[in-house]
Amino acid sequence: MIALFSSEYCCPVGATAGKNDELTITEALRDPLIAIVMRADGVTSEEFKRLLEAAARELKANLANSCFPPTGG
């Protein structure tokens, strides 16, 4: 089975190399490149935060209802 967020599909780079390959919501909201894209797309930080929180809740619910055991990925 392939894990949803398996680190084998990510390239560790930068200051977080070897730690966790995914940004937290707080880190995403503070990321300068993401801020540039949001500005270009006309998306506010609050809108993006709500989107990320909704996605996190949905993912958590889907994983909780999954018939597969969690992977140690």
Side-chain angles (χ1 to χ4, degrees):
M1 180 174 73
I2 298 173
L4 290 176
F5 295 104
S6 174
S7 61
E8 69 189 71
Y9 297 106
C10 298
C11 298
V13 295
T16 61
K19 296 179 186 175
N20 186 350
D21 295 318
E22 290 86 32
L23 294 174
T24 65
I25 291 174
T26 301
E27 290 168 336
L29 291 169
R30 292 181 181 163
D31 186 276
L33 183 57
I34 292 174
I36 291 169
V37 174
M38 286 172 31
R39 195 174 313 117
D41 289 343
V43 177
T44 68
S45 293
E46 189 56 39
E47 290 170 328
F48 189 52
K49 180 179 178 185
R50 285 195 306 265
L51 173 72
L52 293 176
E53 289 172 339
R57 282 191 303 273
E58 186 172 335
L59 179 60
K60 184 176 180 180
N62 288 341
L63 290 175
N65 293 325
S66 172
C67 62
F68 298 108
T71 63

